[in-house]
Amino acid sequence: MEPEIYRQMGLTDEEFDRIKEILGREPNYVEVGMFAVMWSEHCGYKSSRPVLKLFPTKAPWVLQGPGENAGIVDIGDGQAVVFKIESHNHPSAIEPFQGAATGVGGIVRDIFAMGARPIAVLDSLRFGPLDDPRTRYLMGGVVGGIAFYGNCLGLPTVGGEVYFEPSYAGNPLVNAMAVGLIEQKNIRRGTAAGVGNAVMLIGARTGRDGIHGATFASEELSEASEERRPSVQVGDPFREKLLIEACLEIINEDLVIGMQDMGAAGITSSSCEMAARAGTGMEIDIALVPRREEGMTPYEVMLSESQERMLLVPKKGAEERIRAICRRWGLEAVIIGRVTGDGLMRIMENGRVVAEVPARALTDQCPVYERERRRPAYLDEVRQRDLRRLPQPEDYGQVLLGLLAAPNLASKEWVYRQYDYMVRTDTVAGPGGDAAILRVKGTSKGLALTVDGNGRYCYLDPERGGAIAVAEAARNLACVGARPLAITDCLNFGNPEKPEVAWQFYQAVMGMSRACEVLQTPVTGGNVSFYNETESGAIYPTPVVGMVGLLPDIEKRCGMGFRREGDLLIMVGETYPEIGGSEYLATFHGLVAGEPPALDLEREKAVQALVREAIAAGLVTAAHDCAEGGLAVALAESALAGGLGAEVELASDLRPDYLLFSESQSRILLAVAPEAGDRVLDLAREKGLPVTVIGRCGGHSLAVRINGRTLFNLSLEEMGKQWRESIPVLMAR
Amino acid sequence: MKFGVIVFPGSNCDQDVHYALGSVLGQHVDYLWHGDTSVSGYDCLILPGGFSYGDYLRAGAIARFAPIMPAVIDFARSGGLVLGICNGFQILLEAGLLPGAMMRNACLQFRCQWTYLKVENNATPFTNRFREGQVIRIPIAHGEGNYYADAATLAQLEANRQVVLRYCTPGGEVIPAANPNGSVGNIAGIINREGNVLGMMPHPERCAEGILGGTDGRELFASIVDCWQRGERLGA
Amino acid sequence: MLLAKIHVTLKPGVLDPQGEAVGKGLRAMGYDGVAAVRVGKYLEVMLDLDDREEAGRQVEEMCRRLLANPVIEEYRYSLEAYAGERP
Amino acid sequence: MLLAKIHVTLKPGVLDPQGEAVGKGLRAMGYDGVAAVRVGKYLEVMLDLDDREEAGRQVEEMCRRLLANPVIEEYRYSLEAYAGERP
Ligand SMILES: Nc1ncnc2c1ncn2[C@@H]1O[C@H](COP(=O)(O)OP(=O)(O)O)[C@@H](O)[C@H]1O
Ligand SMILES: [Mg+2]
């Protein structure tokens, strides 16, 4: 075979030699195609696998860790939550609407492939600055695509995050997380067990969509990738909705052994992964695969990434019943092959073998690379910047108003009002709060969900930034009263073949692992997206954490809005002069520099435990973490959320801008009834936590005094206008 | 009283309506399959929200040809109570059980939000628990809720008091600023001339319990039950 | 095989928010000459029929019953022989 | 005034879920002869221009930049004199 051929598919000479060695012969074109996609970074995790091993993955409540379509955690009563996050960055950069839509479709399929009823979606987005028309086009398309797909499926998109930074301008990030609920007895895994069992394909017909999408996602974006555009798939949420209902009926009637969605690398990946997990093989006749287009070659059929398809291994004798269920839902279901005992993927076309490779050669024998790591040179420059001489603002009210209008902090209602976040009637707290809360019908339980990540912190210190992403997610859950259970993560980075990126990746995973250990939130799965680069450089290293938590009694939940006139405002935790990497520093001083805030994980854990305990005891009327924008922004957000102002009196030696806008970690702002104040203070002191009464709720404005001097007094109206209108106005340009 | 919730391919609020009627209000409720041809034995039919047939072509356009629809139409013509919510409303319009048509939201985007609604007519089987002019709060979630009817049809609707719900401010003002989708006359819900078929864009099943942020939807469903218990079955 | 080409457009007088948005977008991009835009649908229906008259009757009916909503839309169509690939 | 009539259709091979659903709907209504349906857009752009060449250049550009999504769609257009009512 000409080297040009396999190189174009993304294989190196060494990898090609390895294939020859495994097979003991020259592979044919179809086989090379199968290896190329399965050994791509996207499917094979060849640069990340050794590093991902660092993640803690076990806890008594983790029923399924990494390695399956999605992770599973126990929530009691024989029920479990299934969840996973995935990126669709590259497709969305090329075609934002369809790219984001099919991203939602794909991650939702991972959830019902495990047998779970999907119940919610969250999204984590990164774009360039909003004053760029291209960003507005991308954001409009991405949000529209997520809305189109999720709304049509009848899944509430209950939370998410959106950030704007120049580093994402050419390479936006679109990560979608899906969550499902399951009776534990219904859990299915993606295995093809039972020699002689049929292999069925259900759902959409196969077309020439997205051939080599996986390889595509494993390259930097360039002029050349523009030309590969036809590889972008179009989503059909209507068909996926039918697929969900049909698959859940099939699960409920206990008709399948294993099931897997077809995402990247289509039939190739789903079939060989199912076989490899079971230690079996498969014989597939691709002539039996229903096509949308004429004249497709075996190569095209095997690699097509047509959406809305599932691969099933039925129990013996269940084939007819599965067909009948699919027919009722208007879906095609065909037997395309059977499970074999020889460990081989044998692909036939009308009886002629077109490819024959060991299933495990495609999965487990994917080469693994220990990438060279080097601390990037930029770090010294940005970290050592002296931030002590920055000019102090004159008008703090203006600074706060400006921060509220900064797109990273402004209300994201423009985004989530396009998402149906109420369908399924379980959304007790939707987007806009610290974490979404879903009730579990028929129980007193609630699920709390959040996604978090701060690329700026990770750029300045990936280890700390990674740890903060986990800590902040857990803190968000604590603020609503939930105990965090586990995480799923999406690791968005540049080109791992560059030692600097490999270093960032390793550091971020170390930091996340450390935080997961201490906070007892194991990793149950996730996704790695490398090659997020354009000609102008890599994105900020951006690990995104999706976290699931449990509220044993949903009646004991908390929101972030101030609710009662006269309630005391209590700050748990301490503010340090930490403005490195802050939104204040970026917005007012135009700097992304310094050290991100320090994180003491033991302190973090104690703060969260305290807040949960106080909420469970019914002592708290509002809780909100101090995150980006610092204390001042946290106060404003809680005031706006509740439509109630506050008077705050701070005493401190810190510079006022540091005090107000520092992003010190492990701080949570509480509102408590005056009569409950002492109990909260006592609880905190018992745990050795710093705690301060800083003011009271009331009125229609937010007034802040420091050491007796009024720094600002802003009406809710004024603040609300800046905060609410910023993004709609920018998007309407 | 027996409710039937019709399940079209792509319906996605069917389970929510079922839960609100069955578990919250304790009524008897069954799913009815779009491929069936009979609705006999039911006292009220609900066409739920969602994206029947993906809402492809026009929302509700394909669903109205589902095998069950002739039975629904007969049921409605003989005075049976029919409630179309969101996509269900769109199907009723396409089926000609209600006048007018639905267009894309004027903002060209999907909108999910709480809305305030003015009860313009409480003398219906669906709104009798409200006061006339009462302002209620029910969420919407749709991309095609921009109700349109020509001037003559509108005049008739107004003259017959067929406009049942209008988007308004919390204070009850029916003004453009309170209109989330560009709907003519801020119309959120209309009833047929005979008064037994209501179509509404807002989702009452999403506010039938306090934990979801409101209970006005429960009152709407309870109105139907009250009406039926008083034996006010119209027509037939 | 016959191919029906069908245009479904909004009736004159029915507001077209999408057309307006597109017009606004074009003007914002500098196309000052754009006076108005109307957005409609274009459908191609491939028919396994050879009898043109029968096909015409059917397409007319499809338009009336499903493809256009007579409250807001109007339609027109043409029929031609189709020799291309069977889709 | 000139009127540009623009057809935006999906590229061959690109999945058309809408067309598939409409085709299925039509067959379910009894039109067995329906072999396939593709759904596209039809736009009319009224232009306050008289120079056809200039207009053609502009319409071509509008299609490429805004009206069609080159990743999945293709377009064609025609220009004609427009004498009707100013919309
Ligand atoms: N960042 C990560 N952390 C932990 N596990 C991961 C991570 N990325 C991927 N995995 C695990 O590797 C397996 C393969 O991932 P992926 O290829 O994304 O799954 P899929 O085939 O569903 O797309 C999954 O079980 C996933 O959970
Ligand atoms: Mg999977």
Side-chain angles (χ1 to χ4, degrees), chain D residues 11-63:
Chain D
K11 285 184 179 167
V14 173
L15 177 70
D16 178 9
Q18 182 158 217
E20 284 189 16
V22 172
K24 231 169 147 176
L26 287 172
R27 281 187 292 271
M29 287 164 73
Y31 303 105
D32 304 320
V34 173
V37 178
R38 301 283 283 177
V39 180
K41 270 184 285 199
Y42 170 67
L43 296 98
E44 291 185 342
V45 177
M46 266 138 284
L47 290 165
D48 236 340
L49 292 172
D50 292 314
D51 180 345
R52 262 184 195 251
E53 213 160 300
E54 169 63 13
R57 211 188 45 72
Q58 287 196 13
V59 172
E60 172 74 39
E61 208 180 83
M62 290 175 198
C63 288

Side-chain angles (χ1 to χ4, degrees), chain A residues 95 229 234 236 239 292 330, chain D residues 13-15 17 20 24 69 71:
Chain A
E95 210 312 272
R229 280 182 156 191
V234 168
D236 182 356
R239 193 186 308 266
R292 211 175 69 230
Chain D
V14 173
L15 177 70
E20 284 189 16
K24 231 169 147 176
N69 177 349
V71 182

Side-chain angles (χ1 to χ4, degrees), chain A residues 68-70 84 86 106-107 109-111 113 260-263 273 277:
Chain A
E68 266 292 339
N69 289 318
K84 171 109 186 269
E86 206 152 74
I107 192 62
R109 282 196 294 285
D110 276 332
I111 302 306
Q260 175 143 341
D261 71 292
M262 276 180 239
E273 284 175 11
R277 283 194 197 107

